[in-house]
Amino acid sequence: MKELLEQAIELGKEEIPLGEVASYIPELANADVKKIGIAIQDMQGNMETCGDVDNEFTMQSIVKVAIYALALEDLGLRRVLEKVGVKPSADAFNSIVKLEDDSNHRPLNPFINAGAIMCTAILKGSIDKRRHRVIELLQKLFNRDNVQIDIDTYLSEKATGDRNRALAYMMKGTGIMDSDIDVEKVLDLYFQLCSVKVTVKDLANMAAVLANDGVSPITGEQILSLKVNRVVLTVMFTCGLYDYSGEFAVRVALPAKSGVGGGILAASKGKYGIAVANPALDIHGNSIAGVRMLEYISDKLDLETF
Ligand code: GLN
């Protein structure tokens, strides 16, 4: 396995010059483009790693998986579907154009920004309680108890988040977001959650839970219910890499979720949780080396879903 991961890293490195570090959130532009890592965990909880495995980066859109899962646990699929669709998008993750498409103006899916902001808005409890609950869920998914928010990234997101602000106010304007929701507070929480610091080891732990029907391979705890886990994986497969999801599905063929911090996690049901990271992104906002590494690993370990 170690050799396979080393090979994957070598292939990933070739892709780095073809990508670019995210710059629309100023703090992300400081990422070291040379940092590259992989972690893979099996269903017995054994982990193999390679590269810069202790390098920290922010979750960004990968946190949308936890927010969506919690919304589903809180409200159930039927009620969440009334507020957030599951339609793959041919537009960018921060696209503003498609909100009007749907008859009741639902955001297309929970993994584009509009959908994740909506999920944040419908979670149960006060904003503080929601933050606490998402962090608590992440701690279980990562199997560690000191999960933290990167304050500089959070403040940078908040200072430059006008596009997300526009999405949220538009959803309130169309009525799909309830009129009594405090948009600024919801956005503030969304920016904080995008700024959670992780390593590939954390994300491999999380991916392994998703691959193992919502059960931690390490502690045996059922962290996500079977039903929620199934829905989350399905939407990851169809929408996890934004408008690149279709091509990713044929190249890698695993449910996955990317973030503009450069991380991608992928789940191979009953086999492995995999996480890769490098901050050079393709035009869709996915780690370009990360996609290549996952393609190689999925092929060599014969993990393709179909
Ligand atoms: N925090 C980022 C944003 O809202 C998340 C986007 C992403 O990772 N695609 O723009």
Side-chain angles (χ1 to χ4, degrees), residues 24-25 28 58-64 92-94 111-114 116-117 153 157 160-161 163-164 167 190-191 193-195 242 257-263 281 284-286:
Y24 73 101
I25 300 168
L28 293 181
T58 52
M59 277 187 101
Q60 296 299 332
S61 280
I62 302 171
V63 82
K64 293 170 181 173
F93 62 85
N94 54 5
F111 296 153
I112 56 169
N113 291 4
I117 293 166
T153 306
E157 294 229 23
T160 58
R163 216 182 158 87
N164 287 321
L167 285 168
Y190 170 74
F191 294 139
L193 295 175
C194 286
S195 307
Y242 325 111
K257 184 75 204 83
S258 61
V260 293
L281 307 178
H284 310 281
N286 304 312

Short mmCIF file of all heavy atoms in Angstrom, two decimals, residues 24-25 28 58-64 92-94 111-114 116-117 153 157 160-161 163-164 167 190-191 193-195 242 257-263 281 284-286, ligand 1:
data_model
loop_
_atom_site.label_atom_id
_atom_site.label_comp_id
_atom_site.label_asym_id
_atom_site.label_seq_id
_atom_site.Cartn_x
_atom_site.Cartn_y
_atom_site.Cartn_z
N TYR A 24 -9.49 33.89 -4.23
CA TYR A 24 -10.65 34.77 -3.98
C TYR A 24 -10.90 34.93 -2.49
O TYR A 24 -11.58 35.87 -2.07
CB TYR A 24 -11.89 34.27 -4.72
CG TYR A 24 -12.50 33.01 -4.14
CD1 TYR A 24 -13.64 33.07 -3.34
CD2 TYR A 24 -11.93 31.77 -4.37
CE1 TYR A 24 -14.19 31.94 -2.79
CE2 TYR A 24 -12.47 30.63 -3.82
CZ TYR A 24 -13.60 30.71 -3.04
OH TYR A 24 -14.14 29.59 -2.47
N ILE A 25 -10.37 34.01 -1.67
CA ILE A 25 -10.33 34.23 -0.22
C ILE A 25 -8.86 34.50 0.09
O ILE A 25 -8.04 33.58 0.02
CB ILE A 25 -10.83 32.99 0.56
CG1 ILE A 25 -12.28 32.66 0.16
CG2 ILE A 25 -10.71 33.21 2.06
CD1 ILE A 25 -12.78 31.32 0.64
N LEU A 28 -6.39 32.08 1.71
CA LEU A 28 -6.09 30.80 1.05
C LEU A 28 -4.92 30.92 0.07
O LEU A 28 -4.24 29.95 -0.23
CB LEU A 28 -7.32 30.28 0.30
CG LEU A 28 -8.53 29.87 1.14
CD1 LEU A 28 -9.63 29.35 0.23
CD2 LEU A 28 -8.15 28.80 2.15
N THR A 58 -7.70 24.22 5.55
CA THR A 58 -9.09 24.37 6.02
C THR A 58 -10.02 23.48 5.19
O THR A 58 -9.81 23.24 4.00
CB THR A 58 -9.55 25.84 5.99
OG1 THR A 58 -9.31 26.40 4.70
CG2 THR A 58 -8.80 26.64 7.05
N MET A 59 -11.07 23.02 5.85
CA MET A 59 -12.01 22.08 5.21
C MET A 59 -12.69 22.67 4.00
O MET A 59 -12.95 22.00 3.03
CB MET A 59 -13.11 21.68 6.21
CG MET A 59 -12.75 20.59 7.14
SD MET A 59 -14.20 20.12 8.09
CE MET A 59 -14.74 18.64 7.24
N GLN A 60 -13.06 23.95 4.12
CA GLN A 60 -13.86 24.61 3.08
C GLN A 60 -15.08 23.75 2.76
O GLN A 60 -15.74 23.27 3.65
CB GLN A 60 -12.98 24.91 1.85
CG GLN A 60 -11.87 25.91 2.17
CD GLN A 60 -12.40 27.24 2.64
OE1 GLN A 60 -13.51 27.65 2.28
NE2 GLN A 60 -11.64 27.95 3.48
N SER A 61 -15.33 23.49 1.48
CA SER A 61 -16.61 22.86 1.14
C SER A 61 -16.77 21.44 1.66
O SER A 61 -17.87 20.90 1.60
CB SER A 61 -16.79 22.85 -0.38
OG SER A 61 -17.24 24.11 -0.79
N ILE A 62 -15.70 20.83 2.13
CA ILE A 62 -15.86 19.46 2.64
C ILE A 62 -16.76 19.47 3.88
O ILE A 62 -17.47 18.50 4.15
CB ILE A 62 -14.48 18.82 2.93
CG1 ILE A 62 -13.65 18.82 1.65
CG2 ILE A 62 -14.64 17.40 3.47
CD1 ILE A 62 -12.20 18.41 1.84
N VAL A 63 -16.78 20.59 4.59
CA VAL A 63 -17.62 20.66 5.79
C VAL A 63 -19.11 20.59 5.43
O VAL A 63 -19.95 20.26 6.26
CB VAL A 63 -17.29 21.93 6.63
CG1 VAL A 63 -17.98 23.18 6.08
CG2 VAL A 63 -17.66 21.70 8.09
N LYS A 64 -19.41 20.88 4.16
CA LYS A 64 -20.82 20.83 3.73
C LYS A 64 -21.40 19.43 3.91
O LYS A 64 -22.61 19.27 4.08
CB LYS A 64 -20.93 21.26 2.25
CG LYS A 64 -20.60 22.75 2.02
CD LYS A 64 -20.48 23.06 0.54
CE LYS A 64 -20.12 24.53 0.31
NZ LYS A 64 -19.82 24.82 -1.11
N ALA A 92 -20.67 26.92 -11.50
CA ALA A 92 -19.64 26.91 -10.45
C ALA A 92 -20.27 26.83 -9.06
O ALA A 92 -21.46 27.10 -8.88
CB ALA A 92 -18.80 28.17 -10.56
N PHE A 93 -19.43 26.46 -8.07
CA PHE A 93 -19.92 26.24 -6.71
C PHE A 93 -20.53 27.49 -6.09
O PHE A 93 -21.34 27.40 -5.17
CB PHE A 93 -18.81 25.69 -5.80
CG PHE A 93 -17.63 26.60 -5.63
CD1 PHE A 93 -17.64 27.61 -4.68
CD2 PHE A 93 -16.51 26.45 -6.42
CE1 PHE A 93 -16.56 28.45 -4.52
CE2 PHE A 93 -15.41 27.28 -6.27
CZ PHE A 93 -15.44 28.29 -5.32
N ASN A 94 -20.10 28.67 -6.57
CA ASN A 94 -20.64 29.89 -5.97
C ASN A 94 -21.62 30.59 -6.91
O ASN A 94 -21.90 31.77 -6.78
CB ASN A 94 -19.51 30.84 -5.55
CG ASN A 94 -18.57 31.14 -6.70
OD1 ASN A 94 -18.81 30.71 -7.83
ND2 ASN A 94 -17.52 31.88 -6.42
N PHE A 111 -24.21 20.92 -1.80
CA PHE A 111 -22.76 21.05 -1.86
C PHE A 111 -22.29 22.24 -2.68
O PHE A 111 -21.09 22.48 -2.81
CB PHE A 111 -22.14 19.74 -2.38
CG PHE A 111 -22.39 18.57 -1.45
CD1 PHE A 111 -22.45 17.28 -1.92
CD2 PHE A 111 -22.58 18.78 -0.09
CE1 PHE A 111 -22.67 16.20 -1.05
CE2 PHE A 111 -22.81 17.73 0.79
CZ PHE A 111 -22.86 16.43 0.30
N ILE A 112 -23.23 22.99 -3.26
CA ILE A 112 -22.86 24.32 -3.76
C ILE A 112 -23.12 25.29 -2.60
O ILE A 112 -23.84 24.95 -1.65
CB ILE A 112 -23.64 24.72 -5.03
CG1 ILE A 112 -25.15 24.65 -4.79
CG2 ILE A 112 -23.23 23.85 -6.21
CD1 ILE A 112 -25.98 25.27 -5.90
N ASN A 113 -22.52 26.46 -2.67
CA ASN A 113 -22.58 27.36 -1.51
C ASN A 113 -24.01 27.67 -1.07
O ASN A 113 -24.32 27.64 0.12
CB ASN A 113 -21.83 28.66 -1.81
CG ASN A 113 -20.34 28.43 -1.92
OD1 ASN A 113 -19.87 27.30 -1.84
ND2 ASN A 113 -19.59 29.51 -2.09
N ALA A 114 -24.89 27.97 -2.05
CA ALA A 114 -26.26 28.34 -1.69
C ALA A 114 -26.92 27.24 -0.86
O ALA A 114 -27.58 27.50 0.16
CB ALA A 114 -27.07 28.63 -2.95
N ALA A 116 -25.47 24.87 0.94
CA ALA A 116 -24.84 24.68 2.25
C ALA A 116 -25.27 25.79 3.21
O ALA A 116 -25.47 25.56 4.42
CB ALA A 116 -23.33 24.66 2.10
N ILE A 117 -25.42 27.00 2.67
CA ILE A 117 -25.88 28.11 3.52
C ILE A 117 -27.31 27.82 3.97
O ILE A 117 -27.66 28.02 5.14
CB ILE A 117 -25.76 29.46 2.76
CG1 ILE A 117 -24.28 29.79 2.51
CG2 ILE A 117 -26.44 30.59 3.54
CD1 ILE A 117 -24.04 30.90 1.49
N THR A 153 -8.43 32.57 8.43
CA THR A 153 -9.21 32.19 7.24
C THR A 153 -10.67 32.62 7.42
O THR A 153 -11.28 33.18 6.50
CB THR A 153 -9.14 30.67 7.00
OG1 THR A 153 -7.76 30.29 6.94
CG2 THR A 153 -9.83 30.28 5.72
N GLU A 157 -12.59 35.07 4.97
CA GLU A 157 -13.83 34.66 4.29
C GLU A 157 -14.94 35.67 4.54
O GLU A 157 -15.70 36.04 3.66
CB GLU A 157 -14.33 33.32 4.83
CG GLU A 157 -13.44 32.18 4.54
CD GLU A 157 -14.19 31.00 3.95
OE1 GLU A 157 -15.28 31.17 3.38
OE2 GLU A 157 -13.64 29.90 4.06
N THR A 160 -14.55 38.97 2.70
CA THR A 160 -14.65 38.94 1.23
C THR A 160 -15.84 38.10 0.76
O THR A 160 -15.91 37.75 -0.40
CB THR A 160 -13.35 38.36 0.62
OG1 THR A 160 -13.14 37.05 1.16
CG2 THR A 160 -12.16 39.24 0.92
N GLY A 161 -16.76 37.80 1.67
CA GLY A 161 -17.83 36.86 1.35
C GLY A 161 -19.08 37.46 0.74
O GLY A 161 -20.18 36.93 0.94
N ARG A 163 -20.29 37.45 -2.19
CA ARG A 163 -21.04 36.56 -3.09
C ARG A 163 -21.93 35.61 -2.27
O ARG A 163 -23.09 35.39 -2.61
CB ARG A 163 -20.04 35.77 -3.94
CG ARG A 163 -20.53 35.54 -5.31
CD ARG A 163 -19.57 34.74 -6.12
NE ARG A 163 -20.32 34.15 -7.19
CZ ARG A 163 -20.56 34.74 -8.36
NH1 ARG A 163 -20.08 35.95 -8.61
NH2 ARG A 163 -21.29 34.15 -9.27
N ASN A 164 -21.37 35.09 -1.20
CA ASN A 164 -22.18 34.23 -0.33
C ASN A 164 -23.30 35.02 0.35
O ASN A 164 -24.41 34.53 0.53
CB ASN A 164 -21.29 33.56 0.72
CG ASN A 164 -20.43 32.47 0.10
OD1 ASN A 164 -20.89 31.74 -0.76
ND2 ASN A 164 -19.18 32.38 0.52
N LEU A 167 -26.01 35.38 -2.14
CA LEU A 167 -26.79 34.13 -2.26
C LEU A 167 -27.80 34.02 -1.13
O LEU A 167 -28.96 33.67 -1.34
CB LEU A 167 -25.84 32.93 -2.21
CG LEU A 167 -25.01 32.63 -3.46
CD1 LEU A 167 -23.93 31.61 -3.15
CD2 LEU A 167 -25.91 32.11 -4.58
N TYR A 190 -21.47 29.74 8.79
CA TYR A 190 -20.99 29.07 7.57
C TYR A 190 -19.50 29.38 7.33
O TYR A 190 -18.71 28.48 7.05
CB TYR A 190 -21.85 29.51 6.38
CG TYR A 190 -21.32 29.08 5.04
CD1 TYR A 190 -21.40 27.75 4.61
CD2 TYR A 190 -20.72 30.00 4.18
CE1 TYR A 190 -20.90 27.35 3.39
CE2 TYR A 190 -20.21 29.61 2.94
CZ TYR A 190 -20.29 28.30 2.55
OH TYR A 190 -19.78 27.91 1.34
N PHE A 191 -19.11 30.64 7.48
CA PHE A 191 -17.70 31.01 7.27
C PHE A 191 -16.81 30.32 8.30
O PHE A 191 -15.71 29.87 7.99
CB PHE A 191 -17.51 32.53 7.37
CG PHE A 191 -18.20 33.32 6.28
CD1 PHE A 191 -18.87 34.51 6.57
CD2 PHE A 191 -18.17 32.89 4.96
CE1 PHE A 191 -19.50 35.24 5.57
CE2 PHE A 191 -18.79 33.62 3.95
CZ PHE A 191 -19.46 34.79 4.26
N LEU A 193 -17.38 27.48 9.84
CA LEU A 193 -17.31 26.03 9.60
C LEU A 193 -16.43 25.72 8.39
O LEU A 193 -15.71 24.72 8.38
CB LEU A 193 -18.72 25.45 9.44
CG LEU A 193 -19.58 25.54 10.71
CD1 LEU A 193 -21.00 25.05 10.43
CD2 LEU A 193 -18.97 24.75 11.87
N CYS A 194 -16.46 26.57 7.37
CA CYS A 194 -15.56 26.37 6.22
C CYS A 194 -14.10 26.47 6.65
O CYS A 194 -13.21 25.94 5.99
CB CYS A 194 -15.82 27.42 5.14
SG CYS A 194 -17.32 27.16 4.20
N SER A 195 -13.86 27.15 7.77
CA SER A 195 -12.48 27.44 8.21
C SER A 195 -11.97 26.44 9.25
O SER A 195 -10.95 26.70 9.89
CB SER A 195 -12.42 28.86 8.77
OG SER A 195 -12.94 29.78 7.83
N TYR A 242 -18.92 19.63 -7.59
CA TYR A 242 -19.59 20.73 -8.32
C TYR A 242 -19.82 20.34 -9.77
O TYR A 242 -20.22 19.22 -10.05
CB TYR A 242 -18.78 22.04 -8.23
CG TYR A 242 -18.07 22.24 -6.93
CD1 TYR A 242 -16.69 22.18 -6.83
CD2 TYR A 242 -18.80 22.46 -5.75
CE1 TYR A 242 -16.04 22.35 -5.63
CE2 TYR A 242 -18.16 22.64 -4.55
CZ TYR A 242 -16.78 22.57 -4.49
OH TYR A 242 -16.15 22.73 -3.31
N LYS A 257 -15.97 14.42 -1.89
CA LYS A 257 -16.26 15.85 -1.70
C LYS A 257 -14.95 16.61 -1.65
O LYS A 257 -14.04 16.24 -0.92
CB LYS A 257 -17.05 16.07 -0.39
CG LYS A 257 -17.46 17.51 -0.18
CD LYS A 257 -18.61 17.91 -1.07
CE LYS A 257 -18.67 19.41 -1.32
NZ LYS A 257 -17.75 19.85 -2.41
N SER A 258 -14.92 17.71 -2.38
CA SER A 258 -13.71 18.54 -2.44
C SER A 258 -13.94 19.87 -1.73
O SER A 258 -15.08 20.23 -1.42
CB SER A 258 -13.39 18.83 -3.91
OG SER A 258 -14.47 19.53 -4.49
N GLY A 259 -12.85 20.58 -1.47
CA GLY A 259 -12.93 21.93 -0.91
C GLY A 259 -11.82 22.79 -1.50
O GLY A 259 -10.78 22.24 -1.91
N VAL A 260 -12.01 24.10 -1.54
CA VAL A 260 -11.00 24.96 -2.16
C VAL A 260 -9.73 25.10 -1.31
O VAL A 260 -8.75 25.72 -1.75
CB VAL A 260 -11.54 26.36 -2.54
CG1 VAL A 260 -12.57 26.27 -3.66
CG2 VAL A 260 -12.09 27.10 -1.34
N GLY A 261 -9.72 24.51 -0.12
CA GLY A 261 -8.48 24.42 0.66
C GLY A 261 -7.54 23.37 0.07
O GLY A 261 -6.38 23.25 0.48
N GLY A 262 -8.04 22.57 -0.88
CA GLY A 262 -7.21 21.58 -1.56
C GLY A 262 -7.47 20.14 -1.14
O GLY A 262 -6.88 19.21 -1.68
N GLY A 263 -8.33 19.93 -0.17
CA GLY A 263 -8.63 18.56 0.27
C GLY A 263 -9.72 17.93 -0.58
O GLY A 263 -10.58 18.63 -1.13
N LEU A 281 -5.58 24.19 -7.56
CA LEU A 281 -6.94 23.83 -7.96
C LEU A 281 -7.14 23.90 -9.47
O LEU A 281 -6.49 24.70 -10.15
CB LEU A 281 -7.95 24.79 -7.30
CG LEU A 281 -7.86 24.95 -5.78
CD1 LEU A 281 -8.91 25.97 -5.32
CD2 LEU A 281 -8.05 23.62 -5.07
N HIS A 284 -12.55 24.33 -11.65
CA HIS A 284 -13.80 24.09 -10.91
C HIS A 284 -13.61 24.27 -9.40
O HIS A 284 -14.59 24.22 -8.65
CB HIS A 284 -14.30 22.66 -11.17
CG HIS A 284 -14.36 22.31 -12.62
ND1 HIS A 284 -15.39 22.72 -13.43
CD2 HIS A 284 -13.51 21.61 -13.41
CE1 HIS A 284 -15.17 22.27 -14.67
NE2 HIS A 284 -14.03 21.61 -14.67
N GLY A 285 -12.37 24.41 -8.96
CA GLY A 285 -12.12 24.56 -7.53
C GLY A 285 -11.78 23.25 -6.84
O GLY A 285 -11.85 23.14 -5.62
N ASN A 286 -11.39 22.24 -7.62
CA ASN A 286 -11.00 20.95 -7.05
C ASN A 286 -9.48 20.80 -7.14
O ASN A 286 -8.87 21.22 -8.13
CB ASN A 286 -11.64 19.81 -7.85
CG ASN A 286 -13.15 19.93 -7.91
OD1 ASN A 286 -13.80 20.14 -6.90
ND2 ASN A 286 -13.71 19.82 -9.12
N1 GLN B 1 -15.79 28.91 1.96
C1 GLN B 1 -15.81 28.71 0.55
C2 GLN B 1 -16.84 29.63 -0.07
O1 GLN B 1 -17.90 29.74 0.47
C3 GLN B 1 -16.12 27.28 0.24
C4 GLN B 1 -16.11 27.02 -1.21
C5 GLN B 1 -15.50 25.75 -1.64
O2 GLN B 1 -14.71 25.08 -0.97
N2 GLN B 1 -15.83 25.42 -2.84
O3 GLN B 1 -16.63 30.25 -1.08
#
